[in-house]
Amino acid sequence: MTKERITVVEIAHAAGVSKSTVSLVLQGSSLVNEVTRAKVSAVIRELGYVYNRGAANLRQSNSKSKIIGIVVNDLTNSFFAELAVGVDDVVQSAGYVQFLSNTGESVDRQREVIASMREHGISGLIVSPARGTEPADLKPLVASGIPVVVVVRNIQGAKVSSLMSDNHAGASAAVEHLVALGHRRIAFLGGFPDTAVFAERLVGYQTALKSADIAFDASLVISSAPSRAGGVDAIDRAVRLGDRPTAALCFNDAVAFGVCDGLRANRLEPGADFGVIGFDDVIEAKTAVPALTTVSVDPQGMGRRAAQLLLKQINSGNADPEALVGSVRLVVRESSGPARRDVEKRTA
Amino acid sequence: MTKERITVVEIAHAAGVSKSTVSLVLQGSSLVNEVTRAKVSAVIRELGYVYNRGAANLRQSNSKSKIIGIVVNDLTNSFFAELAVGVDDVVQSAGYVQFLSNTGESVDRQREVIASMREHGISGLIVSPARGTEPADLKPLVASGIPVVVVVRNIQGAKVSSLMSDNHAGASAAVEHLVALGHRRIAFLGGFPDTAVFAERLVGYQTALKSADIAFDASLVISSAPSRAGGVDAIDRAVRLGDRPTAALCFNDAVAFGVCDGLRANRLEPGADFGVIGFDDVIEAKTAVPALTTVSVDPQGMGRRAAQLLLKQINSGNADPEALVGSVRLVVRESSGPARRDVEKRTA
DNA sequence: CTGTTAGCGCTTTCAC
DNA sequence: GTGAAAGCGCTAACAG
């Protein structure tokens, strides 16, 4: 069964030309006669020849492997699956193929997969780093001149390109919306405080409060796991507060769902009795929960953008770090139907 | 910036040995002296050498590329994202790295990515084929002796291994459950009838009806897009039936959600007024919708199983087709809390 | 325009 | 145990 791989010399022989001619045909060079090209192409097809990129790649001193790597911290999260789809989209169109690995938030696993990808000669890497990733983890890659684009989560001090969503603007817009609705005691619920994303969103929240002349109250910042269960937990603690909040900005949509669950358990109707806004829109987009206002980012779009940036750097040979910010939208859903107010804040 | 890739000869030189010795060290051969090995390892580390799998792979006549490909029809669907995670899990542990591509149900795109993967020398492929995939699309791969495992959706007539969930048993179990609840008019809602999965589930449905001495009524089989919107559509048509059903088995969970939506729009409470069971459990598992009974399959588990099968075939060099069936569980959720009844049907 | 000739970085007999 | 030499499939100068 294991058929021998057929090579250029065989097709050269069969076509009655030399292997370099075949090689030229393969690369679509214009240096080859039309009739020769046709003949060679025919033989290639009829013999079922498959190009060996490994060999080609080996010969071309510079590693033009046509492989890009993408590693995400949690592919189980639809957000990252969508991101990967976006990346795959542009990567495929550019004739590349992607290594995709999931780290599950393990920096060890991340180190391994990156090392492995490096051995395979990826020409670029897109990474949503596992929590706790250090600049050193990416150091060897950048040192060898391989472009790296960090997405979603920044790595402080790493000299690589990045693409983050506009957490600050999104959080501000959400809080402004709640303020416009008449809320004054607005909580910030969920998320792990030791992450850059959390910090950015929190600052956006604080900025908006200040603009509205509302004093920041640290007791209204209640962190928890960024999950549905975490949301339940956070809102439970929030409603037990002496001066309880009347609305909340949630770290992400999972938390927002949990907050809704918890509100209902407390006989409060989300939206009507208590304002709720969640970040991210993946789960929301999938399950179309009505009447929940969200700060939404387009993960596929982010993926495409990241891939474009990476390809640009690969092709230009210029891997100077570039920091991009992805726009976010505040999507307000009234019970009467989806109304959208767009908040675009873009850098780049 | 683009640092020159350092090679075995350089580390051989630096360590004062020959390159073959270095090669042996790299492969952990026992033919090399302990002290030599240590010295070489040290040099390798200190010079930041990275192994070039492309070159190694080129030399070893048989393509042991340590790359497996996985192509799915819709990574946007959590089911397949989970599947990919399962695959990645075992693939990573085995020291492989995976090419992941999304076809978005396009057979053309699928053909392209498979061709591309082949050029890169994958040593095996796991594929959840796009709708309309023909055996011929996989032919060249199998002809060259590359093991292929088809998952989720079978390809009639393709001589490749497969891993499908037990659609027949799952559908039967669901119907039996509804019958036990006293239902006699049970609909089969959603899904495209031109797929093998649909056919298998329908047969399971029919089998269970027959066992319960219920006559099959073709008007109760209402197909639609396998989406939430499709579910709304299907249930709308179902309730307009003269002799309307009192329960339904839904093609998948998305349809089930839509059916729930549609029921509520018709002032019917799912579960209480109308029995609903959906296939698959991905969305359900994520959003924990209460009181919806599901026929659940474990996508990560399927991914792991598929990867194990593939690796087995790669390592044994024996790619004889093998057909595996993945077990499914009927998960009954009472409003009082999650109660589980397991339906295990396994082949292998 | 096409053929010849060297390698890319690695593994692998086969001598030493 | 370790080194020398050949060659995997391909591309890149050069000649012709």
Side-chain angles (χ1 to χ4, degrees), chain B residues 36-314:
Chain B
T36 324
R37 166 202 276 6
K39 173 160 204 172
V40 171
S41 304
V43 175
I44 283 179
R45 213 162 311 122
E46 119 194 4
L47 261 52
Y49 166 78
V50 329
Y51 185 69
N52 185 334
R53 275 179 198 280
N57 183 41
L58 179 58
R59 184 57 176 83
Q60 318 175 118
S61 42
N62 53 351
S63 276
K64 303 224 61 49
S65 66
K66 291 292 195 176
I67 300 174
I68 75 103
I70 164 168
V71 356
V72 297
N73 53 290
D74 182 13
L75 191 60
T76 271
N77 180 331
S78 298
F79 182 91
F80 295 106
E82 296 270 350
L83 187 88
V85 169
V87 171
D88 191 43
D89 232 40
V90 350
V91 152
Q92 262 185 55
S93 305
Y96 281 68
V97 48
Q98 71 175 358
F99 279 138
L100 183 291
S101 278
N102 184 229
T103 59
E105 300 289 9
S106 156
V107 289
D108 289 336
R109 197 132 209 197
Q110 182 173 275
R111 217 186 324 270
E112 285 169 17
V113 302
I114 291 180
S116 173
M117 287 178 175
R118 208 148 88 93
E119 293 186 351
H120 281 286
I122 53 170
S123 36
L125 177 72
I126 293 174
V127 52
S128 169
R131 285 175 61 209
T133 301
E134 319 232 316
D137 295 322
L138 266 28
K139 192 77 179 310
L141 267 190
V142 301
S144 53
I146 297 174
V148 176
V149 173
V150 168
V151 288
V152 183
R153 302 168 166 183
N154 206 355
I155 301 178
Q156 296 291 345
K159 298 290 292 167
V160 297
S161 294
S162 64
L163 172 56
M164 242 80 42
S165 48
D166 198 337
N167 294 308
H168 185 99
S172 292
V175 171
E176 280 164 20
H177 179 72
L178 291 172
V179 167
L181 257 37
H183 295 284
R184 304 284 298 174
R185 288 203 51 83
I186 301 169
F188 184 95
L189 303 180
F192 291 126
D194 64 343
T195 63
V197 173
F198 183 96
E200 291 171 23
R201 290 178 183 179
L202 184 59
V203 170
Y205 159 87
Q206 291 172 310
T207 305
L209 286 183
K210 174 168 283 180
S211 308
D213 273 326
I214 300 175
F216 171 67
D217 179 351
S219 71
L220 290 179
V221 177
I222 303 179
S223 62
S224 75
S227 62
R228 190 158 185 153
V232 173
D233 184 40
I235 190 68
D236 277 352
R237 280 185 279 152
V239 296
R240 278 200 198 82
L241 249 35
D243 191 2
R244 70 153 70 162
T246 63
L249 166 59
C250 303
F251 177 71
N252 65 15
D253 49 4
V255 168
F257 278 107
V259 166
C260 290
D261 294 344
L263 285 171
R264 293 205 185 88
N266 281 287
R267 308 241 169 273
L268 292 170
E269 182 58 24
D273 302 327
F274 193 101
V276 180
I277 298 190
F279 239 95
D280 295 357
D281 71 344
V282 181
I283 298 176
E284 178 264 335
K286 289 288 176 193
T287 60
V289 169
L292 178 61
T293 291
T294 54
V295 176
S296 91
V297 346
D298 171 18
Q300 273 198 41
M302 272 190 82
R304 278 192 294 268
R305 196 129 166 256
Q308 281 156 357
L309 171 58
L310 187 68
L311 289 179
K312 194 190 77 180
Q313 306 206 80
I314 290 173

Side-chain angles (χ1 to χ4, degrees), chain A residues 17-18 20-21 31-33 36 58-59:
Chain A
V17 297
S18 89
S20 19
T21 306
L31 301 176
V32 60
N33 190 339
T36 325
L58 178 59
R59 185 56 178 84

Side-chain angles (χ1 to χ4, degrees), chain A residues 321-333:
Chain A
E322 207 166 316
L324 265 44
V325 176
S327 62
V328 299
R329 299 194 323 270
L330 185 69
V331 180
V332 181
R333 290 178 195 278

